[in-house]
Amino acid sequence: MSSDVVASPGSRPMPPAARPRSLPGWAPPAALGAILVLACVLYGWSLGSLGWANTYYSAAVKSMGASFTNFMFGSYDPAGVVTVDKPPPGCGHR
């Protein structure tokens, strides 16, 4: 028995498989840059209108900006006695 498939006389031949289009080398970095710029714009759009937002963490960020030791220990108060429950990278983006 043969497993060859014979096309019927009235059928059209199948088109070759379409090759995926390749992007130019600059396209992926440009797309990533556009996404990052859009994210920055949307994140910072009304950032000033939020005020202090969460006063506990805002005070901690303000205190951590006052001295390097407060930053390293995530200090809540300017004297560096009370620390927050998150490490400094967790508070630094606020």
Side-chain angles (χ1 to χ4, degrees):
M1 260 174 106
S2 174
S3 62
D4 293 336
V5 177
V6 178
S8 61
S11 67
R12 292 185 289 178
M14 294 288 288
R19 289 188 347 205
R21 294 187 309 182
S22 63
L23 297 173
W26 57 267
L32 178 62
I35 290 170
L36 291 175
V37 167
L38 179 65
C40 288
V41 167
L42 291 177
Y43 182 72
W45 187 267
S46 296
L47 202 57
S49 68
L50 296 176
W52 284 95
N54 185 332
T55 55
Y56 178 73
Y57 292 116
S58 297
V61 171
K62 186 175 180 181
S63 173
M64 287 188 285
S67 78
F68 184 72
T69 305
N70 287 354
F71 176 77
M72 288 304 297
F73 292 103
S75 177
Y76 172 75
D77 61 335
V81 178
V82 180
T83 60
V84 294
D85 60 342
K86 293 182 180 174
C91 291
H93 70 279
R94 289 184 165 70

